Amino acid sequence: MKALAPGTVIFHRHRGYGVITTVNLLTGWISARFGSESRTLDLNLSSDEVQFADGEAILFRRAPPDRMPHARLMALVRALHQAGYQKLYLYSWPKPSGLHWRWHLFAGQRDWMQRPWREGWYGSGADYNSNPVMGWGDTPGATTEELIHALARFDPQGLAQALGRDEDHTAWFASVCDALLPGYMYSLDMQRPNGGPLTEMPPVPVIPVRATLPPYAGPDITWPPGWAGLWSKVHVMPAPRINLTGVPDERSLDY
């Protein structure tokens, strides 16, 4: 389908030709002008039969989008594991507000607490609500295969670091995907009573990716390989990069 953005010429069977002024791809509503510079008309892409100027229909998915991208990312990681990129890991954790969950893909050495940062390999559900893309050149609603090809084009060197075998984590991740997808995601949130060390391993928290889904009622999810020794240690986040710009790094504001 062609790009849909302000300035796109459209055709409506009752109004004729017009020009889009604003687009909201999360709700499916657009505003357009038809022969008047001072008046706009709001149209719904699902029901108002809007077309491009050449007659091609503009189709919009009626089902509401996922409120967070984590389930799509889980499907991506599982597919890459099956292709031999087993040294790819998905870390997800809640923001302090608890309203959104962050995500971080990393490759290479399996070190959950000192994982490396690569531009475009991390994001937040808060950003996804307004712009439903991962950030590596993908498009809204891209399939798992399309996400893989977009990531490979965006950072082939980074993806190459995931090539290798990590059989215990791959088996754990496959079982988690079988239990949770397509409607649920996991959160690797280490809650500590009164700031003290954890003495046992509770089930991994599970969150629905759509507001219409009921709370998760399936089997408990165990923690991934490599987490057993972390429960008696201090949870240390990766050391931030040196910032000489004077502008606060957004990644350091939400932990």
Side-chain angles (χ1 to χ4, degrees):
M1 192 176 97
K2 303 181 183 68
L4 195 64
T8 301
V9 179
I10 60 173
F11 178 79
H12 189 263
R13 61 176 180 172
H14 298 304
R15 298 283 179 170
Y17 289 96
V19 178
I20 294 178
T21 58
T22 58
V23 179
N24 189 327
L25 290 179
L26 283 179
T27 63
W29 284 89
I30 64 171
S31 295
R33 292 194 181 104
F34 293 89
S36 173
E37 291 294 327
S38 61
R39 183 182 177 185
T40 60
L41 179 68
D42 293 332
L43 298 170
N44 188 285
L45 297 178
S46 295
S47 57
D48 284 324
E49 301 181 11
V50 182
Q51 302 175 1
F52 288 102
D54 61 1
E56 179 182 343
I58 300 176
L59 303 177
F60 185 82
R61 185 180 62 174
R62 294 175 182 269
D66 294 348
R67 61 175 177 173
M68 55 185 70
H70 299 70
R72 297 178 63 201
L73 289 167
M74 289 171 63
L76 165 82
V77 173
R78 177 170 61 175
L80 283 170
H81 283 176
Q82 294 171 347
Y85 293 83
Q86 296 184 1
K87 289 179 166 289
L88 179 65
Y89 310 97
L90 173 61
Y91 186 93
S92 55
W93 72 104
K95 298 178 72 171
S97 65
L99 297 177
H100 299 285
W101 275 259
R102 286 190 171 274
W103 58 270
H104 181 197
L105 289 173
F106 67 100
Q109 183 179 356
R110 188 180 70 191
D111 191 338
W112 294 100
M113 296 302 104
Q114 295 295 332
R115 57 195 185 276
W117 290 99
R118 293 183 73 90
E119 290 296 331
W121 288 59
Y122 54 85
S124 169
D127 301 328
Y128 185 81
N129 279 346
S130 300
N131 189 21
V133 295
M134 307 305 173
W136 54 67
D138 57 298
T139 58
T143 64
T144 299
E145 183 177 356
E146 291 170 343
L147 286 176
I148 292 174
H149 288 306
L151 180 60
R153 290 192 302 267
F154 173 77
D155 191 354
Q157 293 82 9
L159 188 59
Q161 296 182 23
L163 191 60
R165 301 180 64 179
D166 189 345
E167 296 178 353
D168 55 348
H169 175 265
T170 299
W172 172 85
F173 196 86
S175 65
V176 170
C177 289
D178 291 340
L180 300 185
L181 294 183
Y184 299 87
M185 51 82 67
Y186 64 83
S187 171
L188 300 179
D189 183 22
M190 299 175 67
Q191 295 288 342
R192 300 178 181 275
N194 299 322
L198 292 171
T199 56
E200 57 182 270
M201 298 175 68
V204 172
V206 176
I207 300 96
V209 299
R210 287 183 292 276
T212 56
L213 291 174
Y216 177 71
D220 290 343
I221 303 299
T222 60
W223 293 83
W227 277 73
L230 300 177
W231 296 87
S232 60
K233 300 178 182 179
V234 178
H235 187 175
V236 179
M237 295 301 297
R241 296 180 301 178
I242 298 177
N243 186 351
L244 302 177
T245 65
V247 180
D249 189 339
E250 65 175 7
R251 295 176 300 171
S252 65
L253 301 178
D254 299 308
Y255 293 120

